[in-house]
């Protein structure tokens, strides 16, 4: 795992986006898988600006890491986020848009359908956020490192984060999510995790300085050569080791 330390959220967004942009510009038919929520919004903003300024995504396939179980037009869904922050804002269209169906009545059938898409379209890059409890996707603490795509139950801390992010009540908040497991996440050619803010500092400390354990799901990336982690100063504020001691680059 390579670790990049940056000053702030904007620097994290630029650094992360440039890695994604390079994939789009250098691959013949790039396949990128995105995550949603507060942390990647800066990356989406830069992506939209570049597309409107001529970045060609006509050969790009875009898919997603996960999807909440609930009505697809709900404010919190990945589908809603993707259209609000990307697809509805640009003139160009990607070659393929693949989304998980959070309304599917047969979740096993939906998982099988999406796994087949993953097999047909190997990902060049998988973008990840970092939960306050160390989760990635909906792989909550305790999820085995050999997990494959599954229907996950949210921890309470994740539910509270969703409520805060989307301004919804506890009763409105989703409690389940269809998510890629570690097996699918780590199969991408590049795995890019971004973390910003002091509210992520405990999770970052566990990721970089704690034991590699399912109790902190993100530690699954620690020994992966294809993983890149970008951390801003606030998120790194509880680290005890000097930044130079990590496998880092600028």
């Amino acid at each position: 795992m390579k670790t990049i330390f940056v000053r702030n959220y904007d620097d994290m967004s630029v650094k992360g986006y440039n890695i994604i942009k390079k994939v789009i510009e250098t691959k013949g038919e790039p396949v990128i898988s995105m995550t949603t929520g507060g942390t990647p919004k800066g990356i989406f903003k830069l992506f939209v600006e570049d597309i409107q300024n001529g970045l060609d995504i006509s050969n790009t396939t875009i898919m997603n890491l996960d999807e909440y179980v609930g009505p697809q037009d709900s404010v919190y869904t990945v589908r809603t986020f993707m259209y609000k922050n990307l697809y509805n804002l640009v003139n160009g269209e990607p070659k393929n848009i693949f989304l998980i169906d959070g309304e599917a009545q047969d979740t096993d059938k939906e998982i099988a359908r999406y796994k087949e898409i993953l097999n047909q379209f190997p990902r060049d890059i998988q973008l990840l956020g970092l939960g306050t409890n160390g989760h990635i996707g909906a792989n909550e603490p305790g999820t085995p490192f050999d997990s494959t795509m599954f229907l996950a139950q949210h921890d309470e801390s994740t539910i509270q984060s969703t409520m805060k992010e989307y301004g919804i009540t506890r009763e409105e908040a989703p409690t389940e999510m269809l998510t890629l497991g570690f097996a699918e996440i780590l199969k991408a050619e590049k795995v890019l995790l971004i973390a910003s803010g002091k509210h992520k500092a405990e999770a970052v400390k566990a990721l970089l300085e704690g034991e590699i354990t399912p109790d902190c799901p993100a530690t699954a990336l620690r020994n992966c050569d294809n993983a890149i982690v970008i951390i801003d100063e606030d998120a790194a504020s509880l680290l005890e080791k000097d930044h130079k001691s990590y496998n880092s680059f600028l």
Side-chain angles (χ1 to χ4, degrees), residues 9 19 24 52 73 77 91 96-97 100 118 125 129 132 135-136 146 162 193 198:
Y9 177 84
I19 293 172
I24 294 172
Q52 295 302 84
D73 60 351
T77 67
N91 296 322
N96 297 295
I97 295 173
I100 300 168
L118 292 170
I125 191 162
T132 55
H135 76 251
I136 53 176
D146 62 353
T162 303
L193 184 145
K198 290 190 175 180

Side-chain angles (χ1 to χ4, degrees), residues 83-209:
Y83 277 91
K84 180 179 179 180
N85 292 279
L86 179 59
Y87 301 134
N88 288 343
L89 302 179
V90 297
N91 296 322
E93 293 184 0
K95 183 175 182 179
N96 297 295
I97 295 173
F98 295 123
L99 290 157
I100 300 168
D101 182 3
E103 286 188 313
Q105 296 300 306
D106 187 334
T107 55
D108 289 340
K109 186 175 181 180
E110 176 60 12
I111 288 169
R113 181 190 74 87
Y114 207 73
K115 280 186 174 182
E116 182 58 31
I117 291 171
L118 292 170
N119 289 334
Q120 291 181 19
F121 296 88
R123 287 152 296 146
D124 295 298
I125 191 162
Q126 174 66 63
L127 180 64
L128 302 171
L130 178 66
T132 55
N133 63 0
H135 76 251
I136 53 176
N139 292 270
E140 299 280 11
T143 303
F145 282 160
D146 62 353
S147 65
T148 59
M149 189 175 177
F150 67 108
L151 177 62
Q153 308 296 314
H154 287 314
D155 279 6
E156 182 61 29
S157 63
T158 302
I159 295 172
Q160 293 296 324
S161 294
T162 303
M163 291 166 56
K164 182 178 179 181
E165 177 66 28
Y166 297 103
I168 55 179
T169 66
R170 180 65 175 76
E171 290 70 29
E172 294 170 324
T175 59
E176 296 179 310
M177 197 170 207
L178 286 164
T179 182
L180 303 194
F182 293 112
E184 291 94 2
I185 288 170
L186 299 178
K187 197 173 181 180
E189 184 175 329
K190 282 190 177 71
V191 178
L192 174 62
L193 184 145
I194 53 176
S196 172
K198 290 190 175 180
H199 64 299
K200 299 295 177 72
E202 289 282 359
V204 166
K205 180 175 173 58
L207 167 60
L208 294 184
E209 297 182 347

